[in-house]
Amino acid sequence: MHTRFSDYPTSRKFFLLLEDNFHYTQTTGQKTQVSLEGLRGSESTQKIKRMEKAVLINQTSVMSFRLTGLSANPLVQMAVFFIFLIFYVLTLVGNILIVITIIYDHRLHTPMYFFLSNLSFIDVCHSTVTVPKMLSDTLAEEKLIAFDACVVQMFFLHLFACTEIFLLTVMAYDRYVAICKPLQYMTIMSWKVCMVLAAALWTGGTIHSISLTSLTIKLPYCGPDEIDNFFCDVPQVIKLACTDTHIIEILIVSNSGLISVVCFVVLVVSYAVILVSLRQQISDGKRKALSTCAAHLTVVTLFLGHCIFIYSRPSTSLPEDKVVSVFFTAVTPLLNPIIYTLRNEDMKSALNKLIRRREK
């Protein structure tokens, strides 16, 4: 059983570092003798700390991770490939079509459809972070992902996921104002306010992603390299670190878990208030508003359900994790365009108008 360098007391570290009087400089590669006098005196402790930090940094010897994927069965992998290829293509086509339709149809230049176009853009990016890699891995013998690529995937995964959580919350507020305060709607939800809200939610997602990713990459990785999923995510990756990650797990729960739970509660309360206000006002306009809220609530439940399930508990693997992750990365981005087009008369009318314009 090997004792880690960090487990030794400071005095023992000093003598361990002196046992080998030589080291190779990074610039010349020549062997240079360490001066014993240079380690004496007031600077000895600082030099030991710097050397200890270098040792800990060098412990990150893992250059890549192995992903287990959804299945090891070749037949299942081929089925997964074709199913998720269809899902991904439909996700791209559906969400890009929504963005184009909103841009071209001036009747849809309202706050609600401005945020909907942001949602479609995020869904395209969110699925692109994970699905193409998963598709390529189903055709590969070894499902490897480089350490740097894993870090990049985690960063953009949390960037788009957290931004979408904030966006869904803003969309719920937009529906609340439109239904409960219709006469003040264009005053409260002016274009200036919409731009500020959009900038705020993208900024919040970026800060959240940077904080989680920075916590992850600072950990030493020197042994296990298997991630029990088809993409890199913070809870699975930190379990591979060769150090105690209890504090980081608490930070993840208090960060991602708290954001998910708080936003979900705010969303549920918002839609509850909307439903109460619609209870005694059943008309064609109110039925349309109720249909829109039902669509929003469906998206919220599917998306935030995953976030709460994964990030509101310690980093322990459960059999249901992969199934929930599939809905999070591949199914929900596909359902958004279906829900918002099939249940929205304005979107269907604008799509038909756009298609007829292209046919001429």
Side-chain angles (χ1 to χ4, degrees), residues 97 284 290:
L97 194 58
D284 290 338
L290 188 61

Side-chain angles (χ1 to χ4, degrees), residues 103-268:
I103 292 174
Y104 274 88
D105 196 319
H106 293 285
R107 295 177 302 172
L108 301 180
H109 289 182
T110 62
M112 171 183 166
Y113 292 104
F114 168 73
F115 292 124
L116 178 57
S117 63
N118 274 266
L119 179 63
S120 294
F121 174 75
I122 291 174
D123 283 336
V124 169
C125 298
H126 189 205
S127 59
T128 302
V129 171
T130 56
V131 176
K133 172 61 178 172
M134 182 191 68
L135 293 175
S136 64
D137 284 343
T138 57
L139 303 177
E141 294 184 3
E142 283 192 301
K143 301 173 177 60
L144 298 177
I145 183 170
F147 183 85
D148 293 340
C150 184
V151 172
V152 171
Q153 190 178 60
M154 286 189 295
F155 173 80
F156 284 107
L157 180 71
H158 282 272
L159 168 62
F160 296 125
C162 187
T163 303
E164 182 162 345
I165 291 175
F166 292 148
L167 177 58
L168 292 173
T169 307
V170 170
M171 291 176 72
Y173 175 72
D174 172 73
R175 289 301 84 203
Y176 164 77
V177 176
I179 295 171
C180 299
K181 300 181 179 180
L183 299 179
Q184 301 172 316
Y185 178 68
M186 292 310 300
T187 303
I188 297 175
M189 297 300 295
S190 63
W191 281 113
K192 181 179 180 180
V193 172
C194 290
M195 292 299 176
V196 170
L197 290 174
L201 61 92
W202 279 101
T203 303
T206 303
I207 294 173
H208 163 81
S209 183
I210 291 175
S211 62
L212 280 189
T213 307
S214 61
L215 286 174
T216 306
I217 61 178
K218 288 181 180 180
L219 297 174
Y221 300 93
C222 54
D225 62 350
E226 184 176 274
I227 297 175
D228 188 23
N229 213 327
F230 58 91
F231 63 92
C232 288
D233 199 4
V234 174
Q236 287 85 21
V237 172
I238 64 171
K239 289 193 300 184
L240 305 179
C242 47
T243 187
D244 184 19
T245 59
H246 180 68
I247 295 178
I248 294 180
E249 290 179 19
I250 295 175
L251 291 175
I252 292 174
V253 172
S254 61
N255 189 332
S256 298
L258 188 61
I259 289 175
S260 302
V261 172
V262 170
C263 288
F264 184 73
V265 171
V266 171
L267 286 163
V268 171

Side-chain angles (χ1 to χ4, degrees), residues 14 18 21 33-45 47:
F14 178 78
L18 295 184
N21 290 356
Q33 189 172 10
V34 177
S35 174
L36 299 184
E37 287 78 12
L39 291 177
R40 296 194 183 101
S42 61
E43 296 182 359
S44 60
T45 303
K47 290 192 176 185

